[in-house]
Each structure stands twice: as structure tokens, then as C-alpha cells.
Amino acid sequence: MKKLLHIHQNLKTHWVGDGFPVRSVFDYNGLGRELSPFLLLDHAAPTMFPPGEGRRGVGAHPHRGFETVTVVYQGELEHRDSSGGGGRIGTGDVQWMTAAGGIIHEEFHSQEFTRKGGMLEMVQLWVNLPAKHKNAKPGYQTLLKAQIPNVPLPDGTGHARIIAGEYAGHKGPARTFTRINLWDVNLRSGKSTELPLPNGDTAAILTLHGDILVNNDRDAGEGSLLVFNRDGDGITVKAKSDATLLVMAGEPISEPIVGEGPFVMNTKAEIQQAYEDYELDRMGTIPS
Ligand code: MN
């Protein structure tokens, strides 16, 4: 069993652009080493947007050295980037963007969602790349709800949507550079399940909704990030109410993490280079 090390909570909200009221669950300056390969997690808890005009979100900005994974629980987003990637993702869909050597992208609510208004809930997780892949070609994967296996957990406990990695022989559609398990888990009140995760891998759970009991020992409420020991190969979770969990596990990358704003590299010099390449338009442009 993976031992629970600590529970981390940040319920303060800030806005990313004018579209995303997020809690910064963790970032690379705080838990980047402990949670490697995961660098940052933002959660936009359910927020009602009134009908509007124009575009809500963040305009063109760069990233280099990692991947961004956006999971939409409610609402609809639109994306475009300099690799030529883009599209619209709605409830249950996931966008897996590889910034790697450098990308410029924009992240907005879809025009239709803005026009009609509605509830928005999403998370964005940043996944680090090993040094040898930090300069790989940028790319974009749209993972639609229909492509993501929704696997029943034993004994009517609930369901696990396997975005990346594998559960009980069901493989997630995301292509990753290192071993990652990313699961969107829904548990029914009163039920308990064991989540099998690789021995040696970093593991963490964000409780998006509901209250849970972990490893028959600790209670955790909404907005909690549970950080586990790498040793051991499973986590027991009991739902004290209906619960939605984001389960993250991955092979740690044992390399230095130097991050600043939208860039995460291995050295300060590489960060300087990233700023220079961005300012000199070497990260491409978004096709019009
Ligand atoms: Mn971005």
C-alpha cells in the first residue's frame, strides 16, 4: 500500500485571463520535486458564467519544456496553437498539448458557450518532460469522451475514466513520453475501492467533490490534494459521499526543475533562452 504522506489544500481562487477562476492546487515551486513528473495543477471549481459576448479566456502566450493536460468537467473550451493544433472540447473531453520545444497557444471558452452562458468546471495539469524530450516537436491530442474508456470499478463502487495509463487491462488513449496514469474517478457514497498504481511511481489524488476516507485512516474533503509515498502499489479509498477524484501517478523524472512563468526547463540558462526565443518569434505563430 502507498502510505499517505500529507494532505495539501489551497482554496484561494485567482483568475487566469477573464475565463478561468482557478485554485492553484500546487505548482513547480512548491511540490514540483515531490510530485515529479507533475509540475502544476489548477482547478476551476464550478462557476456560473452569464451569457456574454466576445471571448473569455487567455490570448496567445508561450510554453516550453512540458505538456499541459486540460480536463473539462462542465462547459466548452476552444483552443488554437502554433503547431497547427486546435479544436473544441466539451464535457468529458480532454486536451493533451505537448509544448516541448516551444508552442504559442490561446485558451478560450467556446463562442457558443460564451453566448449561452453556463457552468464551467475544468482542471489543467502540467506534466514535465525528461531533458532529452524538452526540445521535441510540439503537438496536440484531442481526447474525446467517446475515446476514453469508462471502466466500472468492482462491486458497483463507481467508474474510472482512463485518460492515460492502464486500469484492469483498459488503456487510456493519451500518448505520453513517460509512464503516466491519469484517471477521472467517480465513487458512490459508502463504497470502497482499491486503486492499483505502480510501485515506485509518484501518486496523488485531488478530491474535486465529496468526502473520502483514505487507506482506512485519514479523512479528506473537497479541494484536498493527497500526496502518497512512491513505495507500495495501491491506495484504498472509501467514499463518505458521492465523490469525484482526479488520480495522478507517474514515473518520477530525477532531473533539476527550473521554472519561470510559462517555461519549465533544467537550468536557468535554458529559461533565459526560452524568453529570448519567444521574444524573437522563434516559437511559431498561431495560424489565422
Ligand atoms: Mn497556456
Side-chain angles (χ1 to χ4, degrees), residues 236-282:
T236 304
V237 180
K238 182 174 185 188
K240 295 166 73 187
S241 62
D242 286 351
T244 303
L245 312 176
L246 185 70
V247 177
M248 297 153 267
E251 188 183 354
I253 299 170
S254 304
E255 294 173 357
I257 298 168
V258 181
E260 215 177 292
F263 307 126
V264 184
M265 303 299 289
N266 302 112
T267 66
K268 193 91 188 144
E270 289 169 337
I271 295 291
Q272 290 304 327
Q273 187 66 52
Y275 277 109
E276 188 182 317
D277 289 346
Y278 171 57
E279 278 151 23
L280 295 174
D281 286 333
R282 289 185 191 134

CSV table of all heavy atoms in Angstrom, one decimal, residues 236-282:
chain,number,residue,atom,x,y,z
A,236,THR,N,-6.3,2.7,-1.0
A,236,THR,CA,-7.7,2.4,-0.7
A,236,THR,C,-8.5,3.6,-0.4
A,236,THR,O,-8.1,4.5,0.4
A,236,THR,CB,-7.8,1.4,0.5
A,236,THR,OG1,-7.0,0.3,0.3
A,236,THR,CG2,-9.2,1.0,0.8
A,237,VAL,N,-9.6,3.8,-1.1
A,237,VAL,CA,-10.4,5.0,-1.0
A,237,VAL,C,-11.8,4.6,-0.7
A,237,VAL,O,-12.4,3.8,-1.4
A,237,VAL,CB,-10.4,5.8,-2.3
A,237,VAL,CG1,-11.2,7.1,-2.1
A,237,VAL,CG2,-9.0,6.2,-2.7
A,238,LYS,N,-12.4,5.2,0.4
A,238,LYS,CA,-13.8,4.9,0.7
A,238,LYS,C,-14.5,6.3,0.5
A,238,LYS,O,-14.1,7.3,1.1
A,238,LYS,CB,-14.0,4.4,2.1
A,238,LYS,CG,-15.4,4.2,2.4
A,238,LYS,CD,-15.7,3.5,3.8
A,238,LYS,CE,-17.2,3.2,3.9
A,238,LYS,NZ,-17.5,2.8,5.2
A,239,ALA,N,-15.6,6.3,-0.2
A,239,ALA,CA,-16.4,7.5,-0.4
A,239,ALA,C,-17.4,7.7,0.7
A,239,ALA,O,-18.2,6.8,1.0
A,239,ALA,CB,-17.1,7.4,-1.7
A,240,LYS,N,-17.3,8.8,1.4
A,240,LYS,CA,-18.3,9.1,2.5
A,240,LYS,C,-19.5,9.8,2.0
A,240,LYS,O,-20.5,10.0,2.6
A,240,LYS,CB,-17.6,9.9,3.6
A,240,LYS,CG,-16.5,9.1,4.3
A,240,LYS,CD,-15.5,9.9,5.1
A,240,LYS,CE,-16.2,10.3,6.4
A,240,LYS,NZ,-15.4,11.3,7.1
A,241,SER,N,-19.3,10.3,0.7
A,241,SER,CA,-20.4,10.9,0.0
A,241,SER,C,-20.1,10.6,-1.5
A,241,SER,O,-19.0,10.1,-1.7
A,241,SER,CB,-20.6,12.4,0.2
A,241,SER,OG,-19.4,13.0,-0.3
A,242,ASP,N,-21.0,10.8,-2.4
A,242,ASP,CA,-20.6,10.7,-3.8
A,242,ASP,C,-19.3,11.5,-4.1
A,242,ASP,O,-19.3,12.7,-3.6
A,242,ASP,CB,-21.7,11.1,-4.8
A,242,ASP,CG,-22.8,10.1,-4.8
A,242,ASP,OD1,-22.6,9.0,-4.3
A,242,ASP,OD2,-23.9,10.4,-5.5
A,243,ALA,N,-18.3,11.0,-4.8
A,243,ALA,CA,-17.1,11.7,-4.9
A,243,ALA,C,-16.5,11.7,-6.3
A,243,ALA,O,-16.7,10.7,-7.0
A,243,ALA,CB,-16.0,11.1,-3.9
A,244,THR,N,-15.9,12.8,-6.7
A,244,THR,CA,-15.1,12.8,-7.9
A,244,THR,C,-13.7,13.1,-7.6
A,244,THR,O,-13.3,14.0,-6.9
A,244,THR,CB,-15.7,14.0,-8.8
A,244,THR,OG1,-17.1,13.8,-9.0
A,244,THR,CG2,-15.0,14.0,-10.2
A,245,LEU,N,-12.8,12.2,-8.1
A,245,LEU,CA,-11.4,12.3,-7.8
A,245,LEU,C,-10.6,12.3,-9.1
A,245,LEU,O,-10.9,11.6,-10.1
A,245,LEU,CB,-10.9,11.0,-7.0
A,245,LEU,CG,-11.8,10.6,-5.9
A,245,LEU,CD1,-11.2,9.3,-5.3
A,245,LEU,CD2,-11.8,11.7,-4.8
A,246,LEU,N,-9.5,13.1,-9.1
A,246,LEU,CA,-8.5,13.0,-10.2
A,246,LEU,C,-7.3,12.3,-9.6
A,246,LEU,O,-6.7,12.7,-8.6
A,246,LEU,CB,-8.1,14.4,-10.6
A,246,LEU,CG,-7.2,14.5,-11.8
A,246,LEU,CD1,-7.9,14.0,-13.1
A,246,LEU,CD2,-6.6,15.9,-12.0
A,247,VAL,N,-7.1,11.1,-10.2
A,247,VAL,CA,-6.0,10.3,-9.7
A,247,VAL,C,-4.8,10.4,-10.7
A,247,VAL,O,-4.9,10.2,-11.9
A,247,VAL,CB,-6.4,8.8,-9.7
A,247,VAL,CG1,-5.3,7.9,-9.2
A,247,VAL,CG2,-7.6,8.7,-8.7
A,248,MET,N,-3.6,10.8,-10.1
A,248,MET,CA,-2.4,11.1,-10.9
A,248,MET,C,-1.3,10.2,-10.4
A,248,MET,O,-1.1,10.2,-9.2
A,248,MET,CB,-1.9,12.5,-10.7
A,248,MET,CG,-2.9,13.6,-11.2
A,248,MET,SD,-2.6,15.1,-10.2
A,248,MET,CE,-3.8,14.9,-8.9
A,249,ALA,N,-0.7,9.5,-11.3
A,249,ALA,CA,0.5,8.7,-10.9
A,249,ALA,C,1.5,8.7,-12.1
A,249,ALA,O,1.1,8.8,-13.2
A,249,ALA,CB,0.2,7.3,-10.5
A,250,GLY,N,2.8,8.7,-11.8
A,250,GLY,CA,3.8,8.7,-12.8
A,250,GLY,C,5.2,8.4,-12.4
A,250,GLY,O,5.5,8.6,-11.2
A,251,GLU,N,5.9,8.0,-13.3
A,251,GLU,CA,7.3,7.7,-13.1
A,251,GLU,C,8.1,9.0,-12.8
A,251,GLU,O,8.0,10.0,-13.6
A,251,GLU,CB,7.8,7.1,-14.5
A,251,GLU,CG,9.2,6.6,-14.5
A,251,GLU,CD,9.5,6.1,-16.0
A,251,GLU,OE1,8.6,6.1,-16.9
A,251,GLU,OE2,10.7,5.7,-16.1
A,252,PRO,N,8.7,9.1,-11.7
A,252,PRO,CA,9.4,10.4,-11.4
A,252,PRO,C,10.6,10.7,-12.4
A,252,PRO,O,11.2,9.8,-12.8
A,252,PRO,CB,9.9,10.2,-10.0
A,252,PRO,CG,9.7,8.8,-9.6
A,252,PRO,CD,8.9,8.1,-10.6
A,253,ILE,N,10.8,12.0,-12.7
A,253,ILE,CA,11.9,12.4,-13.5
A,253,ILE,C,12.9,13.0,-12.6
A,253,ILE,O,12.7,14.0,-12.0
A,253,ILE,CB,11.4,13.4,-14.6
A,253,ILE,CG1,10.4,12.8,-15.5
A,253,ILE,CG2,12.6,13.9,-15.4
A,253,ILE,CD1,9.7,13.8,-16.4
A,254,SER,N,14.1,12.3,-12.4
A,254,SER,CA,15.1,12.8,-11.4
A,254,SER,C,16.0,13.7,-12.1
A,254,SER,O,17.2,13.4,-12.3
A,254,SER,CB,15.8,11.6,-10.8
A,254,SER,OG,14.9,10.7,-10.3
A,255,GLU,N,15.5,14.9,-12.4
A,255,GLU,CA,16.4,15.9,-13.0
A,255,GLU,C,16.0,17.3,-12.4
A,255,GLU,O,14.9,17.4,-11.9
A,255,GLU,CB,16.1,16.0,-14.6
A,255,GLU,CG,16.5,14.7,-15.3
A,255,GLU,CD,16.1,14.7,-16.8
A,255,GLU,OE1,15.4,15.6,-17.2
A,255,GLU,OE2,16.4,13.7,-17.4
A,256,PRO,N,16.9,18.3,-12.5
A,256,PRO,CA,16.6,19.6,-11.9
A,256,PRO,C,15.4,20.2,-12.5
A,256,PRO,O,15.2,20.0,-13.7
A,256,PRO,CB,17.9,20.4,-12.2
A,256,PRO,CG,18.9,19.4,-12.5
A,256,PRO,CD,18.3,18.2,-13.1
A,257,ILE,N,14.6,20.9,-11.7
A,257,ILE,CA,13.4,21.6,-12.2
A,257,ILE,C,13.7,23.1,-12.1
A,257,ILE,O,13.8,23.6,-10.9
A,257,ILE,CB,12.2,21.3,-11.5
A,257,ILE,CG1,11.9,19.8,-11.6
A,257,ILE,CG2,11.0,22.1,-11.9
A,257,ILE,CD1,10.8,19.2,-10.7
A,258,VAL,N,13.8,23.9,-13.2
A,258,VAL,CA,13.9,25.3,-13.1
A,258,VAL,C,12.8,25.9,-13.9
A,258,VAL,O,12.7,25.7,-15.1
A,258,VAL,CB,15.3,25.8,-13.6
A,258,VAL,CG1,15.4,27.3,-13.5
A,258,VAL,CG2,16.4,25.2,-12.9
A,259,GLY,N,11.9,26.5,-13.2
A,259,GLY,CA,10.7,27.1,-13.9
A,259,GLY,C,10.5,28.5,-13.7
A,259,GLY,O,10.9,29.1,-12.6
A,260,GLU,N,10.0,29.2,-14.6
A,260,GLU,CA,9.6,30.6,-14.5
A,260,GLU,C,8.4,30.9,-15.4
A,260,GLU,O,8.5,30.6,-16.6
A,260,GLU,CB,10.8,31.5,-14.9
A,260,GLU,CG,10.9,32.7,-14.1
A,260,GLU,CD,12.1,33.6,-14.4
A,260,GLU,OE1,13.2,33.1,-14.2
A,260,GLU,OE2,12.0,34.6,-15.0
A,261,GLY,N,7.3,31.3,-14.8
A,261,GLY,CA,6.1,31.6,-15.6
A,261,GLY,C,5.7,30.4,-16.5
A,261,GLY,O,5.6,29.2,-15.9
A,262,PRO,N,5.7,30.6,-17.8
A,262,PRO,CA,5.2,29.5,-18.7
A,262,PRO,C,6.3,28.5,-19.2
A,262,PRO,O,6.0,27.7,-20.0
A,262,PRO,CB,4.7,30.3,-19.9
A,262,PRO,CG,5.6,31.5,-19.9
A,262,PRO,CD,6.0,31.8,-18.5
A,263,PHE,N,7.5,28.6,-18.6
A,263,PHE,CA,8.6,27.8,-19.1
A,263,PHE,C,9.1,26.9,-17.9
A,263,PHE,O,9.3,27.4,-16.8
A,263,PHE,CB,9.7,28.6,-19.6
A,263,PHE,CG,9.4,29.6,-20.7
A,263,PHE,CD1,9.7,31.0,-20.5
A,263,PHE,CD2,8.7,29.2,-21.8
A,263,PHE,CE1,9.3,31.9,-21.5
A,263,PHE,CE2,8.3,30.1,-22.8
A,263,PHE,CZ,8.6,31.5,-22.6
A,264,VAL,N,9.3,25.6,-18.2
A,264,VAL,CA,9.9,24.8,-17.1
A,264,VAL,C,11.0,24.0,-17.8
A,264,VAL,O,10.8,23.1,-18.7
A,264,VAL,CB,8.9,23.9,-16.5
A,264,VAL,CG1,9.6,23.1,-15.4
A,264,VAL,CG2,7.8,24.7,-15.9
A,265,MET,N,12.3,24.3,-17.4
A,265,MET,CA,13.5,23.6,-18.0
A,265,MET,C,14.3,23.0,-16.9
A,265,MET,O,13.9,22.8,-15.8
A,265,MET,CB,14.2,24.7,-18.8
A,265,MET,CG,13.4,25.4,-19.9
A,265,MET,SD,12.7,24.3,-21.2
A,265,MET,CE,14.2,23.8,-22.1
A,266,ASN,N,15.6,22.7,-17.2
A,266,ASN,CA,16.5,22.2,-16.3
A,266,ASN,C,17.5,23.1,-15.7
A,266,ASN,O,18.1,22.9,-14.7
A,266,ASN,CB,17.3,21.0,-16.9
A,266,ASN,CG,16.3,19.9,-17.4
A,266,ASN,OD1,16.2,19.7,-18.6
A,266,ASN,ND2,15.6,19.2,-16.5
A,267,THR,N,17.8,24.2,-16.4
A,267,THR,CA,18.7,25.2,-16.0
A,267,THR,C,18.2,26.7,-16.2
A,267,THR,O,17.3,26.9,-17.0
A,267,THR,CB,20.1,25.1,-16.8
A,267,THR,OG1,19.8,25.5,-18.1
A,267,THR,CG2,20.7,23.7,-16.7
A,268,LYS,N,18.8,27.6,-15.5
A,268,LYS,CA,18.5,29.0,-15.6
A,268,LYS,C,18.8,29.5,-17.0
A,268,LYS,O,18.0,30.3,-17.6
A,268,LYS,CB,19.3,29.8,-14.5
A,268,LYS,CG,18.9,31.2,-14.3
A,268,LYS,CD,17.9,31.3,-13.2
A,268,LYS,CE,17.4,32.7,-13.2
A,268,LYS,NZ,16.0,32.9,-12.8
A,269,ALA,N,19.9,29.0,-17.6
A,269,ALA,CA,20.3,29.4,-18.9
A,269,ALA,C,19.2,29.0,-19.9
A,269,ALA,O,18.9,29.8,-20.9
A,269,ALA,CB,21.6,28.8,-19.3
A,270,GLU,N,18.6,27.9,-19.8
A,270,GLU,CA,17.6,27.4,-20.7
A,270,GLU,C,16.3,28.3,-20.6
A,270,GLU,O,15.6,28.5,-21.5
A,270,GLU,CB,17.2,25.9,-20.4
A,270,GLU,CG,18.3,25.0,-20.9
A,270,GLU,CD,18.1,23.6,-20.4
A,270,GLU,OE1,17.4,23.4,-19.4
A,270,GLU,OE2,18.7,22.6,-21.0
A,271,ILE,N,16.1,28.8,-19.4
A,271,ILE,CA,14.9,29.7,-19.2
A,271,ILE,C,15.2,31.0,-19.9
A,271,ILE,O,14.3,31.5,-20.6
A,271,ILE,CB,14.7,30.0,-17.7
A,271,ILE,CG1,14.2,28.7,-17.0
A,271,ILE,CG2,13.6,31.1,-17.5
A,271,ILE,CD1,12.9,28.1,-17.3
A,272,GLN,N,16.4,31.5,-19.8
A,272,GLN,CA,16.8,32.8,-20.5
A,272,GLN,C,16.6,32.6,-22.0
A,272,GLN,O,16.1,33.4,-22.7
A,272,GLN,CB,18.2,33.1,-20.2
A,272,GLN,CG,18.5,33.6,-18.8
A,272,GLN,CD,17.6,34.8,-18.4
A,272,GLN,OE1,17.3,35.6,-19.2
A,272,GLN,NE2,17.2,34.9,-17.1
A,273,GLN,N,17.1,31.4,-22.5
A,273,GLN,CA,17.0,31.1,-23.9
A,273,GLN,C,15.5,31.0,-24.3
A,273,GLN,O,15.1,31.5,-25.4
A,273,GLN,CB,17.6,29.7,-24.1
A,273,GLN,CG,17.7,29.3,-25.6
A,273,GLN,CD,18.7,30.3,-26.4
A,273,GLN,OE1,19.8,30.5,-26.0
A,273,GLN,NE2,18.2,30.8,-27.5
A,274,ALA,N,14.6,30.5,-23.4
A,274,ALA,CA,13.2,30.4,-23.8
A,274,ALA,C,12.6,31.8,-23.9
A,274,ALA,O,11.9,32.1,-24.9
A,274,ALA,CB,12.5,29.6,-22.7
A,275,TYR,N,13.0,32.7,-23.0
A,275,TYR,CA,12.4,34.1,-23.1
A,275,TYR,C,12.9,34.7,-24.4
A,275,TYR,O,12.2,35.4,-25.1
A,275,TYR,CB,12.9,34.9,-21.9
A,275,TYR,CG,12.0,34.8,-20.7
A,275,TYR,CD1,12.4,34.1,-19.6
A,275,TYR,CD2,10.7,35.3,-20.7
A,275,TYR,CE1,11.6,33.9,-18.5
A,275,TYR,CE2,9.8,35.1,-19.6
A,275,TYR,CZ,10.3,34.4,-18.5
A,275,TYR,OH,9.4,34.2,-17.4
A,276,GLU,N,14.2,34.5,-24.7
A,276,GLU,CA,14.8,35.1,-25.9
A,276,GLU,C,14.1,34.5,-27.2
A,276,GLU,O,13.7,35.3,-28.1
A,276,GLU,CB,16.3,34.8,-25.9
A,276,GLU,CG,17.1,35.5,-27.0
A,276,GLU,CD,18.5,35.1,-27.0
A,276,GLU,OE1,19.1,35.1,-25.9
A,276,GLU,OE2,19.1,34.9,-28.1
A,277,ASP,N,13.9,33.2,-27.2
A,277,ASP,CA,13.3,32.6,-28.4
A,277,ASP,C,11.9,33.1,-28.6
A,277,ASP,O,11.4,33.3,-29.7
A,277,ASP,CB,13.3,31.1,-28.3
A,277,ASP,CG,14.8,30.5,-28.5
A,277,ASP,OD1,15.6,31.3,-28.9
A,277,ASP,OD2,15.0,29.3,-28.1
A,278,TYR,N,11.2,33.3,-27.4
A,278,TYR,CA,9.8,33.8,-27.5
A,278,TYR,C,9.8,35.2,-28.0
A,278,TYR,O,9.0,35.5,-29.0
A,278,TYR,CB,9.2,33.7,-26.1
A,278,TYR,CG,7.8,34.4,-26.1
A,278,TYR,CD1,6.8,34.0,-26.9
A,278,TYR,CD2,7.6,35.4,-25.1
A,278,TYR,CE1,5.6,34.7,-26.9
A,278,TYR,CE2,6.3,36.0,-25.1
A,278,TYR,CZ,5.3,35.7,-26.0
A,278,TYR,OH,4.1,36.3,-25.9
A,279,GLU,N,10.7,36.0,-27.5
A,279,GLU,CA,10.7,37.5,-27.9
A,279,GLU,C,11.1,37.6,-29.4
A,279,GLU,O,10.7,38.5,-30.0
A,279,GLU,CB,11.6,38.3,-27.0
A,279,GLU,CG,10.8,38.7,-25.7
A,279,GLU,CD,11.7,38.9,-24.5
A,279,GLU,OE1,12.9,39.1,-24.7
A,279,GLU,OE2,11.2,38.7,-23.4
A,280,LEU,N,11.9,36.7,-29.9
A,280,LEU,CA,12.3,36.7,-31.3
A,280,LEU,C,11.4,35.9,-32.2
A,280,LEU,O,11.8,35.6,-33.3
A,280,LEU,CB,13.8,36.3,-31.4
A,280,LEU,CG,14.8,37.2,-30.7
A,280,LEU,CD1,16.2,36.5,-30.7
A,280,LEU,CD2,14.8,38.6,-31.3
A,281,ASP,N,10.2,35.6,-31.7
A,281,ASP,CA,9.2,34.9,-32.5
A,281,ASP,C,9.7,33.5,-33.0
A,281,ASP,O,9.3,33.1,-34.1
A,281,ASP,CB,8.8,35.7,-33.7
A,281,ASP,CG,7.9,36.8,-33.3
A,281,ASP,OD1,7.2,36.7,-32.3
A,281,ASP,OD2,7.9,37.9,-34.0
A,282,ARG,N,10.6,32.8,-32.2
A,282,ARG,CA,11.1,31.5,-32.7
A,282,ARG,C,10.2,30.4,-32.2
A,282,ARG,O,10.6,29.2,-32.4
A,282,ARG,CB,12.5,31.3,-32.2
A,282,ARG,CG,13.5,32.2,-32.8
A,282,ARG,CD,14.9,31.8,-32.3
A,282,ARG,NE,16.0,32.7,-32.7
A,282,ARG,CZ,16.9,33.2,-31.9
A,282,ARG,NH1,16.9,32.8,-30.6
A,282,ARG,NH2,17.8,34.1,-32.3
